[in-house]
Amino acid sequence: MQSFVELVQNSYEIDNFINYLSENKLTKIAVPEGFFPFLLAKIKIERNIFYIAKNEIEAEGIFASLKSLNKKTLFFPDIDVLPFSNIFPSPDKLFDRINTLYSISTTNNNIIITTLQAFLRKLPPVNYFRESIIEISKNNNIKREYLINKLIDYGYIRENKVVETGNFSVRGDIIDLFLPIYEKPIRIDFFGDEIEKIKIFDLSTQKSIKELQSFTLVPANEFGTEKEIIKDEDKIYLSGTLIHSYFIKFYNSLSNIIDYSKEIPIVILDEFYIDQEIEIEKKYLQKEKLFFSTSEVLKNTKIVINEHIKKSETKFFESIYKPPDFKTNFSNLITILEKDFLQKNYKIFILVEYKELSDRLANILKKLNPKIINPEEKIENENNLFIVIINYESGFELKSEKTKILLLSESDISGKKRLFRKKIRQIESFFEDIEEIKVGEYVVHLSYGIGIFKGIERLNVLGKEKDYILIE
């Protein structure tokens, strides 16, 4: 028996596609958006692969779907402020960007989900970025003040206590630091000018977990990269909010994201990517200052163009199609599933994110006898309709002589795309930092979605008093 993921991945082959891709500059395919996470998860080659989504909503959906398939994936968002505006970009986006730049400059087999606008944005020269990566080891002779100044230059924020990525704190001979390329913060213990201990510590308890022999220091964001030239009149931009656009003043030439990749990468684009570039040109009057053209960035890549309609010359994935349109009518859904798919020996997988929704959907579809499963659960051959608890944005139909499979997501059934859900910083020491949230502000519950924060109330439940967060 196979799991859901194994069954789907074993239902199509990619060898011919990979071979053709290796030998040619341009490859054309025609597959629905929902197929790409499965395709990207199956590819195993020593090249970086860039998937250029049509917008950030699609990018977030593809990224979430790939993570649900347990595929290590990088997200490279665009900077979320207007060029030359006096506002600093969101730290979370900058951390995603620096993590991606570090990964693709040091390893080859990454999958990067991004948008055309982020893909074309100019970056600090790759050689200066690589000079900014410093390996720091136990027993290194390094002055504590030197490291503190370096962290400030690299864009880290000094706080009384480290509570999130991009922070550092100093307590006597100890420096705590949360790097964007690490999942947990680290603690550096000095003895004079020598690093005596390096430890990972827990953010909520602030207690050390395990000792390290070394760690890699990178800038907190791309604008902290080592500078080539610093003129006196430009020093004002070094620590200001305008650095996101004026960083270009500190270099004689700039790099694009492909320059950061060690080998020739693969870039997957929608067939109308030129129209997207035209929209960027309309949006930004000084586009050439902060963005490259697609022709400049794509010249040293292997390109995959995804067309919207299958043509006679389409060479690959001829059996992959868009899922049917159910017109948001559940009775229509049941009829189509039964007559057009189950009676034709399809295996149907309906993909939902939460257990509560899977239970409700199973009740609605009880006439068809669905089975609720997890992605890793082995599939029994006697069942043909499954509800899979997985965060997957959109589905597809696979129809060949040997196999018939239909994947449907919540969006496919409802006819509505989920709104882009910006990644929420999860405060591990929540009650310590809850004063940051004001009554009336919007919050996101992991299971129930968006609500309004109404404060904290102490309630007696089953004889025990506890503090409860009220969300409307």
Side-chain angles (χ1 to χ4, degrees), residues 280-297:
I280 296 171
E281 289 175 352
K282 290 178 181 177
K283 187 176 179 181
Y284 302 119
L285 296 176
Q286 297 178 310
K287 171 184 175 290
E288 69 284 350
K289 288 189 176 182
L290 293 177
F291 297 92
F292 291 104
S293 66
T294 52
S295 58
E296 289 175 300
V297 182

Side-chain angles (χ1 to χ4, degrees), residues 401-416:
E401 293 180 4
K402 295 181 179 180
T403 310
K404 294 179 181 178
I405 295 174
L406 177 65
L407 269 66
L408 295 173
S409 70
E410 298 171 44
S411 298
D412 298 323
I413 293 172
S414 68
K416 298 177 182 178

Side-chain angles (χ1 to χ4, degrees), residues 383-414:
N383 277 79
N384 280 329
L385 177 59
F386 300 88
I387 299 173
V388 188
I389 302 172
I390 185 173
N391 183 14
Y392 202 91
E393 186 60 31
S394 57
F396 59 91
E397 179 185 350
L398 191 157
K399 181 172 60 176
S400 67
E401 293 180 4
K402 295 181 179 180
T403 310
K404 294 179 181 178
I405 295 174
L406 177 65
L407 269 66
L408 295 173
S409 70
E410 298 171 44
S411 298
D412 298 323
I413 293 172
S414 68

Side-chain angles (χ1 to χ4, degrees), residues 179-196:
L179 295 144
I181 62 171
Y182 287 87
E183 292 183 358
K184 290 186 179 294
I186 61 171
R187 179 161 289 150
I188 308 154
D189 199 338
F190 282 83
F191 184 75
D193 290 338
E194 183 178 287
I195 294 178
E196 186 177 34

Side-chain angles (χ1 to χ4, degrees), residues 54 116 269-278 305-309:
K54 295 183 284 294
L116 189 66
L269 294 141
D270 182 81
E271 67 172 314
F272 297 122
Y273 72 90
I274 295 297
D275 293 341
Q276 295 175 41
E277 184 176 15
I278 291 170
I305 298 294
N306 187 41
E307 299 179 320
H308 292 199
I309 299 173

Side-chain angles (χ1 to χ4, degrees), residues 33 57 324-329 392-394 409-420:
E33 174 189 319
I57 295 173
D325 184 0
F326 294 102
K327 311 291 186 190
T328 71
N329 188 315
Y392 202 91
E393 186 60 31
S394 57
S409 70
E410 298 171 44
S411 298
D412 298 323
I413 293 172
S414 68
K416 298 177 182 178
K417 280 282 186 184
R418 290 189 290 180
L419 292 175
F420 172 73

Side-chain angles (χ1 to χ4, degrees), residues 279-337:
E279 288 301 312
I280 296 171
E281 289 175 352
K282 290 178 181 177
K283 187 176 179 181
Y284 302 119
L285 296 176
Q286 297 178 310
K287 171 184 175 290
E288 69 284 350
K289 288 189 176 182
L290 293 177
F291 297 92
F292 291 104
S293 66
T294 52
S295 58
E296 289 175 300
V297 182
L298 293 175
K299 62 184 178 182
N300 294 319
T301 66
K302 289 184 173 291
I303 303 170
V304 177
I305 298 294
N306 187 41
E307 299 179 320
H308 292 199
I309 299 173
K310 290 187 186 295
K311 300 173 183 175
S312 57
E313 62 267 27
T314 302
K315 298 178 182 294
F316 312 104
F317 313 119
E318 298 96 324
S319 62
I320 307 293
Y321 300 90
K322 287 183 179 180
D325 184 0
F326 294 102
K327 311 291 186 190
T328 71
N329 188 315
F330 271 117
S331 60
N332 195 40
L333 167 68
I334 294 170
T335 302
I336 292 176
L337 290 182

